[in-house]
């Protein structure tokens, strides 16, 4: 049988390189295209396709694949669609030793397998303190009371009558990366950075609901409480409530998943995930914080001197390289698109730099697609790998000028007793085999 070879023509290659080099400076681009030209001339492995692919097996060219020789499933075979069976490894995962019971645990998003910036609903990481509440929306209510002129109890129907807004925002558990304060131990991107998601959320600005209730001048804080068995609650400053907080009932176009707080959740964009109370049932306006469990014994940051930081709401600027990563080693020498995600709880990502030598030299990456306030931002840098070892890092800078710290700088400021807010520059060690290891350098 004749071998089917799929290699790119010079024209295709040049077009591809031109596309991939978008965002490079003119000098970079000239250099890049020149390299591409040489590669095309020599037909070396300097293409993304990598040249020859031998066709064997009866479903490969030039044979007609089996699925083209029979009829497929009809409409509404699956009234609610699910991914291909070949994608069954793309799932949320948990670290067994992290928690004793699944009802008070956390699962992580497989960010190594996702494209773009939106997390599909079935892959959004889950964090529960008492399992998923199963709520009948007709029996669900949101009560606003305390220091207000007009206490109100809303039905879901009431809430959905308000003009809605839809916004793309990330949610990150502040414990993301928390297992790495003392040293590198998680050999997977899903476990070092997967307590992270980004969805389009639809609901009503909290400000609008508070205006209905009429907050009294002495009302400075809000207590948000969930209807689940944990009745998880957090104190939220009124400034955040009046700024960009949302009360949401939908994610990525459909009603919230039970895992995400169906039928109603609070969303505090850019803030610790645990302030975004799920299964939201109660908002009480007060004149001071409540100091409940999840803002005293938990979700505070123990410093070296034994004191603890409290109300550290903002998820600081962070970034990580998603390709390559431990789950996605480099498979062959040649051109590679380094890709990753950056995010900031303070606003938009302004710049991401990539280092190949553990932070000695930095190269600016290209920000791909949408760059939104408090949303995941995808970055990309096309380069060539010839089997040389790399200490690969990314460093994000947000629009406020905040620069993601090195591990050394973070430990200097906070010590190593913390669980939360570990946003330091992350290092992947790329070995000569193309394998990727999780390592730490200061
Ligand atoms: N009512 C309630 N809200 C909650 C929680 C909870 O256990 N109960 N967990 C919080 C924590 S710690 C986080 S990080 C986020 C996670 O949101 P997700 O499960 O939608 O990813 O929800 C928060 N809201
Ligand atoms: Mo969390």
């Amino acid at each position: 049988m004749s071998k089917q070879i799929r290699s790119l023509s010079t024209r295709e290659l040049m077009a591809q390189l031109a596309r991939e080099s978008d965002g490079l400076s003119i000098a970079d681009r000239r250099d890049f295209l020149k390299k591409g030209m040489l590669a095309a001339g020599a037909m070396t492995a300097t293409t993304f396709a990598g040249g020859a692919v031998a066709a064997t097996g009866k479903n490969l060219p030039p044979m007609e694949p089996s699925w083209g020789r029979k009829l497929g499933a009809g409409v509404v075979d699956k009234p609610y669609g699910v991914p291909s069976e070949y994608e069954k490894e793309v799932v949320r995962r948990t670290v067994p030793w992290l928690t004793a019971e699944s009802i008070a645990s956390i699962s992580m998003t497989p960010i190594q397998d996702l494209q773009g910036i939106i997390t599909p609903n079935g892959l959004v990481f889950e964090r529960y303190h008492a399992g998923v509440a199963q709520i009948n929306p007709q029996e669900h209510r949101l009560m606003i009371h305390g220091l207000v002129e007009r206490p109100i109890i809303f039905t879901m129907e009431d809430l959905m009558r308000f003009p809605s807004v839809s916004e793309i925002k990330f949610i990150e558990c502040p414990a993301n990366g928390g297992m790495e304060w003392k040293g590198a131990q998680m050999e997977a991107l899903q476990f070092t950075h997967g307590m992270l998601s980004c969805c389009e959320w639809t609901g009503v600005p909290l400000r609008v609901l508070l205006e209905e209730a009429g907050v009294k001048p002495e009302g400075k804080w809000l207590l948000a409480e969930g209807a689940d068995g944990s009745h998880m609650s957090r104190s939220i400053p009124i400034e955040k409530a009046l700024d960009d907080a949302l009360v949401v009932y939908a994610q990525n176009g459909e009603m919230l998943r039970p895992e995400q707080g169906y039928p109603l959740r609070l969303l505090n964009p850019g803030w610790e995930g645990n302030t975004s109370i799920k299964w939201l049932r109660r908002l009480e306006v007060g004149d001071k914080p409540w100091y409940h469990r999840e803002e005293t014994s938990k979700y505070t940051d123990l410093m070296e001197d034994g004191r603890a930081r409290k109300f550290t709401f903002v998820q600081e600027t962070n970034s990580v390289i998603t390709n390559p990563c431990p789950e996605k080693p480099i498979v062959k020498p040649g051109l590679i698109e380094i890709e990753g995600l950056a995010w900031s709880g303070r606003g938009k990502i302004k710049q991401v730099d990539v280092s190949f030598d553990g932070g000695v030299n930095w190269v600016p990456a290209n920000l791909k697609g949408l760059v939104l306030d408090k949303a995941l931002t995808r970055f990309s840098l096309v380069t060539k790998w010839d089997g040389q070892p790399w200490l690969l890092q990314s460093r994000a800078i947000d629009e406020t000028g905040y620069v993601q710290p090195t591990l050394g700088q973070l430990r200097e400021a906070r010590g190593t007793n913390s669980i939360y807010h570990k946003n330091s520059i992350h290092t992947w060690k790329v070995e000569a085999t193309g394998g990727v290891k999780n390592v730490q350098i200061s």
Side-chain angles (χ1 to χ4, degrees), residues 98-242:
L98 203 58
T99 44
E101 277 196 79
S102 68
I103 52 153
S105 188
I106 188 157
S107 69
M108 282 82 137
T109 298
I111 53 174
Q112 71 280 3
D113 291 310
L114 300 184
Q115 314 292 333
I117 59 168
I118 298 293
T119 312
N121 288 338
L123 297 176
V124 172
F125 81 95
E126 315 147 272
R127 174 75 176 106
Y128 317 132
H129 288 71
V132 182
Q134 297 293 342
I135 296 181
N136 176 346
Q138 292 186 338
E139 293 172 356
H140 187 71
R141 300 289 182 272
L142 172 64
M143 175 163 78
I144 303 186
H145 67 123
L147 297 176
V148 293
E149 305 292 347
R150 299 168 292 279
I152 313 182
I153 295 177
F154 293 106
T155 64
M156 285 304 297
E157 223 171 51
D158 294 335
L159 292 168
M160 294 178 75
R161 288 189 61 230
F162 283 94
S164 66
V165 294
S166 294
E167 293 187 7
I168 297 175
K169 300 291 177 190
F170 76 81
I171 293 186
E172 183 183 25
C173 175
N176 205 13
M179 290 93 89
E180 306 263 304
W181 272 100
K182 291 193 165 74
Q185 63 169 336
M186 308 310 299
E187 277 305 330
L189 170 61
Q190 188 162 6
F191 299 141
T192 59
H193 290 82
M195 299 178 190
L196 178 68
S197 64
C198 184
C199 297
E200 185 198 49
W201 302 97
T202 299
V204 190
L206 177 51
R207 185 191 334 111
V208 171
L209 302 181
L210 291 176
E211 276 161 14
E212 292 279 313
V215 175
K216 292 186 175 166
E218 58 278 28
K220 296 290 177 238
W221 286 79
L222 269 187
L223 184 75
E225 182 191 73
D228 54 323
S230 77
H231 290 91
M232 170 138 181
S233 56
R234 288 259 355 217
S235 306
I236 315 288
I238 197 81
E239 293 79 17
K240 181 69 173 177
L242 297 176

Side-chain angles (χ1 to χ4, degrees), residues 6 13 42 62 70 96 123 180 255 262 297 326 345 347 361:
R6 171 71 184 143
L13 179 69
K70 62 180 182 212
L123 297 176
E180 306 263 304
M255 290 302 279
Y262 180 89
S297 103
N361 295 289

